[in-house]
Amino acid sequence: MRPSTKIVVVIATLVGCTEGRLFHFKERSKGCDPKCTEKGELCVRGKCRQVWTDPAEVKGLPKSLPESCFASWPNQTSCAEWSVNETAGIRMLESNSVPPFDVEPYCPFGLGQGYCESPAFGGNSTDCDVFAGMTCPCDPDTLDACPSNTPDYGDVIVPSYQYFEFPLYPDPTSREAPIHMYNNSALKTGN
């Protein structure tokens, strides 16, 4: 029996970015060493990553997704473009981070609560580094990263450019396989 390898891509979405703007929390990069200080960096799983909502600003990547993939809510569509580079031995994925199903406006712990820990289990929903003091839905008048069309009943998904690289011919017998699924090395930009 031949071993097989399956590649699973979980695409997370950003909530609270403004269309055509950079998602940027450089002052809140605890856990990253060194601190994420470059424009567009966010600490993701202990690594500084570039996070963009406008693919035109991303340098050195394919950027084959059309502009329509970055429309604001409620006119969003899921976009994913797979390609192969035989010479480099990689399979690439570009995405706008919007899932292929409807995502209604949403607040994780309810209206007026934050994004951190569940108040139902004694947590403080507004006490964490990245989302300190923020409540849902975000308010475009007080947070410039909040989309101007955010409804009063929940936050909306904002498309963000993501670029992944996977081994074209992964080795299922490697002791490190599938390291890209555990250390997030497949994600070259995005969240």
Side-chain angles (χ1 to χ4, degrees):
M1 186 168 147
R2 284 182 37 184
S4 66
T5 302
K6 293 183 181 179
I7 298 175
V8 178
V9 178
V10 177
I11 299 175
T13 58
L14 281 177
V15 176
C17 292
T18 302
E19 181 180 349
R21 286 200 187 168
L22 175 67
F23 184 72
H24 188 159
F25 282 127
K26 79 174 184 181
E27 70 279 4
R28 296 179 178 157
S29 57
K30 287 185 179 178
C32 282
D33 189 29
K35 299 281 188 217
C36 304
T37 57
E38 297 298 315
K39 181 181 178 188
E41 286 187 333
L42 178 66
C43 183
V44 178
R45 296 184 190 165
K47 293 182 181 180
C48 296
R49 300 283 187 188
Q50 295 289 319
V51 182
W52 304 94
T53 60
D54 182 0
E57 294 186 30
V58 179
K59 305 292 184 229
L61 296 175
K63 298 176 285 204
S64 64
L65 298 178
E67 196 171 308
S68 61
C69 290
F70 298 91
S72 60
W73 181 84
N75 302 314
Q76 301 164 332
T77 59
S78 177
C79 296
E81 184 70 37
W82 287 92
S83 57
V84 169
N85 181 333
E86 289 279 350
T87 306
I90 57 174
R91 183 178 314 276
M92 299 158 291
L93 167 65
E94 289 182 274
S95 167
N96 68 347
S97 77
V98 175
F101 50 83
D102 251 2
V103 179
E104 295 298 318
Y106 173 75
C107 289
F109 300 118
L111 290 174
Q113 295 296 322
Y115 305 92
C116 303
E117 297 178 35
S118 174
F121 298 103
N124 182 336
S125 69
T126 62
D127 186 24
C128 61
D129 289 334
V130 175
F131 301 110
M134 299 167 106
T135 58
C136 186
C138 66
D139 181 357
D141 294 331
T142 60
L143 183 64
D144 76 353
C146 185
S148 60
N149 61 344
T150 299
D152 59 3
Y153 53 92
D155 286 337
V156 295
I157 290 178
V158 174
S160 64
Y161 180 79
Q162 294 182 321
Y163 176 75
F164 297 85
E165 289 181 355
F166 301 97
L168 184 56
Y169 302 106
D171 179 1
T173 64
S174 169
R175 290 175 186 239
E176 295 184 354
I179 193 81
H180 66 276
M181 294 176 69
Y182 299 103
N183 72 0
N184 211 24
S185 63
L187 179 62
K188 303 301 180 188
T189 65
N191 52 332

